[in-house]
Amino acid sequence: MRYVTVKQSQANAANEERRAQEKAALWLVQNYSGVKEMKISKLDKPNEFGGGNYAVDIDNINGTKRGLRIGQGSKEEFYNEGPKLIVSFDDYEQVLGIKKDHDSSRTLKSVKIEYER
């Protein structure tokens, strides 16, 4: 049996959270043009009964006070099928200054990102 220290467990959780945050941010940048800045929330995970989503909120997109929720129903869906837009609002593209335009060559290098810890 392999034991994991509390410190290692916390490091693993932090790594999982950052990986999910970056994957959601990259999904947004590659699926929408015009994304210049964003703030990414902590990772939400389904509870022990299966309620909730494996997702992050992406707020302050391009300096607005509005945001989107990106994720999937489970961790497995998030990594196997990829993230998707879970929650948006009317006219979100216009309000956020973004446009649906898939381009997998886009990266996060030119985007200002603040990660919540």
Side-chain angles (χ1 to χ4, degrees):
M1 179 178 267
R2 182 174 173 231
Y3 294 97
V4 177
T5 65
V6 171
K7 200 171 207 174
Q8 184 60 46
S9 177
Q10 290 171 336
N12 291 346
N15 289 340
E16 175 188 358
E17 180 160 70
R18 178 51 71 94
R19 198 171 117 204
Q21 288 173 320
E22 288 176 352
K23 187 170 181 71
L26 184 60
W27 180 89
L28 181 64
V29 167
Q30 290 182 341
N31 284 278
Y32 290 87
S33 62
V35 179
K36 295 176 182 74
E37 67 179 283
M38 66 181 91
K39 180 179 180 182
I40 304 177
S41 74
K42 288 185 169 191
L43 175 64
D44 289 332
K45 299 178 187 176
N47 63 32
E48 63 223 33
F49 305 108
N53 294 302
Y54 192 88
V56 296
D57 293 319
I58 300 185
D59 297 314
N60 298 344
I61 298 171
N62 294 337
T64 67
K65 298 290 183 195
R66 304 295 300 266
L68 304 170
R69 185 163 181 81
I70 295 174
Q72 278 282 6
S74 70
K75 180 178 180 178
E76 292 75 24
E77 290 172 327
F78 186 85
Y79 287 105
N80 294 337
E81 299 171 21
K84 66 179 182 179
L85 187 60
I86 296 176
V87 176
S88 63
F89 54 91
D90 290 339
D91 300 326
Y92 71 93
E93 288 183 36
Q94 182 179 357
V95 171
L96 300 175
I98 61 176
K99 183 179 180 195
K100 185 131 181 85
D101 174 31
H102 181 79
D103 181 351
S104 59
S105 70
R106 283 192 215 116
T107 67
L108 299 176
K109 287 181 184 176
S110 63
V111 180
K112 179 182 174 191
I113 303 174
E114 180 183 338
Y115 295 97
E116 188 177 321
R117 298 181 187 245

